[in-house]
Structures are given as C-alpha cells and as structure tokens.
Amino acid sequence: MLLYRIEFEVDNGVSYDKDVAVVLANNKQEAHEKLQRLINSIDSETCVSKIFKTTIFSGEVFTGNHGWK
C-alpha cells in the first residue's frame, strides 16, 4: 500500500471548496474511490466535483494549509 496525495474540489451544494487529502491505497484508482466514499458520506449534496492532481506522497509531514515535506 502507498500513500497518495490528492488535490481535489468539493461541491457542497452551495460552494466549491478546494482541499487536499492523503489516502492509503493499493493504487491511484482505489485512492480516488476511498476519497469519494468519504466525502460523499458527509451528506446527500456533498461530493468530489473534480480531482486536480494525484501523486504518491513520499514526505514525512503533511498539512493541508502549509504544505508537506
């Protein structure tokens, strides 16, 4: 399993919010599916509207607002 860093956008029915996630998965497709399941479970209107970029996370520290290293 690998850690994937995913930059994505969430549609909550009112606005579009950009976010970043780190997901543990066997491959890129599985990482996307896990992320979508999590976001879609928030409520009936919230969903992943767009995935901008997916990379293998090889850092030691991750923060959503201040980057990773």
Side-chain angles (χ1 to χ4, degrees):
M1 291 192 119
L2 296 170
L3 287 172
Y4 290 88
R5 180 181 184 274
I6 305 173
E7 297 176 29
F8 63 103
E9 180 179 76
V10 174
D11 177 358
N12 63 16
V14 177
S15 64
Y16 293 91
D17 302 312
K18 290 184 179 176
D19 201 353
V20 180
V22 174
V23 180
L24 181 65
N26 289 311
N27 55 56
K28 184 175 167 180
Q29 169 131 0
E30 182 183 15
H32 290 178
E33 290 170 358
K34 284 184 170 185
L35 175 63
Q36 289 171 334
R37 277 195 305 270
L38 173 73
I39 299 299
N40 293 349
S41 72
I42 293 171
D43 60 43
S44 62
E45 293 183 1
T46 303
C47 66
V48 174
S49 58
K50 190 173 208 178
I51 293 177
F52 299 111
K53 185 177 181 181
T54 303
T55 55
I56 294 174
F57 179 73
S58 58
E60 295 179 14
V61 178
F62 172 84
T63 67
N65 292 327
H66 302 287
W68 57 281
K69 182 175 181 180

